[in-house]
Amino acid sequence: MLSEPFLTSRPEDGRDVPLLCWRTHRPLYAITSAPLGGGIGVRHWVVNATVPMTYHRDDPADHLAGLARQLDLDGPGVGLLTGVDVAEVVARADGGVRVWATVGLGTPVQAAAPAIPAAVEPVGTVNIVALVPVRLGDAALVNAVATATEAKTQAIVELGLPATGTPTDAVTVLCPTDGPVDPYGGPRSRWGAPLARAVHAAVLAGGAHEVVPWSDRLRLEESPGSVLFTRSAIPGSAADR
């Protein structure tokens, strides 16, 4: 139904910027909070694009649509953005459900925390793409998004961060367009339970080390004498527990 993602890149500002793409073997039904293709409907592809931390475009959907055209992707699709190098995608599967996550936790926040000052730019994004192998009803899809979000939050808390996510997280859940409709997507339902476990495992693995934004890492690599630290190198970090 959905291919394994392939990693490619596109030229921007003299750099080769990473881009991750999933193609569908046939159209899939989806629910997504992505900048491009958001909502519920039939989708033909998914793109997760790395962007520099200086990204300030006010037309992300148009930008993503342009990237899709460069890849010769036809029909409506899903477009995601992240400051993380999408080559660091983590894949997990459980009971027929497949999940891919790019995990950036540079700005962990509590969902009900006071508003972030306008001058503070979010520098972390957790993008989750999930495939459920049976047709979910619309209510089940909404519940599946909640289930995936709860599992993501569980993983973040277990990583030692007092947070529910980041300000820019996105979730995409896809399923077949036909077949018997399953009405449930909660964490104890037939398909919600493996979805929760797969999301939890992917976010836990992706967040086990410090993920430096792609553009920051590039800058550090190009700076003579620079040293790049990761969470796994910091004593007492989540990766050491």
Side-chain angles (χ1 to χ4, degrees):
M1 287 185 290
L2 189 67
S3 69
E4 288 294 328
F6 68 87
L7 181 66
T8 183
S9 64
R10 83 277 184 183
E12 284 187 8
D13 300 324
R15 309 278 189 197
D16 289 328
V17 190
L19 187 66
L20 200 62
C21 179
W22 294 255
R23 297 179 185 269
T24 62
H25 303 301
R26 55 177 175 167
L28 294 173
Y29 200 52
I31 183 169
T32 177
S33 60
L36 176 64
I40 298 179
V42 176
R43 303 291 183 262
H44 295 250
W45 46 264
V46 180
V47 164
N48 193 6
T50 295
V51 292
M53 298 315 298
T54 54
Y55 188 84
H56 289 295
R57 291 185 59 152
D58 57 5
D59 62 343
D62 290 342
H63 182 202
L64 285 159
L67 298 180
R69 286 192 295 271
Q70 293 176 26
L71 293 170
D72 295 323
L73 298 173
D74 297 323
V78 175
L80 303 155
L81 296 170
T82 178
V84 172
D85 184 346
V86 293
E88 298 184 35
V89 64
V90 176
R92 292 292 185 269
D94 191 300
V97 174
R98 297 160 66 197
V99 166
W100 299 266
T102 50
V103 183
L105 295 170
T107 308
V109 298
Q110 295 279 14
I116 299 173
V120 176
E121 295 292 336
V123 296
T125 297
V126 180
N127 282 339
I128 295 168
V129 176
L131 176 67
V132 178
V134 302
R135 175 70 161 87
L136 297 179
D138 286 0
L141 283 170
V142 174
N143 209 351
V145 170
T147 294
T149 302
E150 291 169 5
K152 174 199 71 178
T153 298
Q154 180 182 339
I156 291 172
V157 170
E158 290 177 13
L159 287 167
L161 298 174
T164 56
T166 86
T168 52
D169 293 352
V171 178
T172 300
V173 179
L174 305 109
C175 67
T177 59
D178 54 10
V181 176
D182 196 301
Y184 304 114
R188 288 297 173 265
S189 66
R190 178 183 178 188
W191 295 108
L195 171 65
R197 291 191 296 265
V199 169
H200 174 264
V203 175
L204 198 63
H209 64 282
E210 192 72 27
V211 177
V212 178
W214 172 81
S215 54
D216 289 357
R217 187 174 66 196
L218 194 67
R219 176 177 51 80
L220 288 169
E221 290 172 349
E222 292 176 345
S223 299
S226 66
V227 178
L228 186 62
F229 290 100
T230 65
R231 185 183 299 173
S232 60
I234 303 174
S237 69
D240 296 320
R241 292 197 290 271

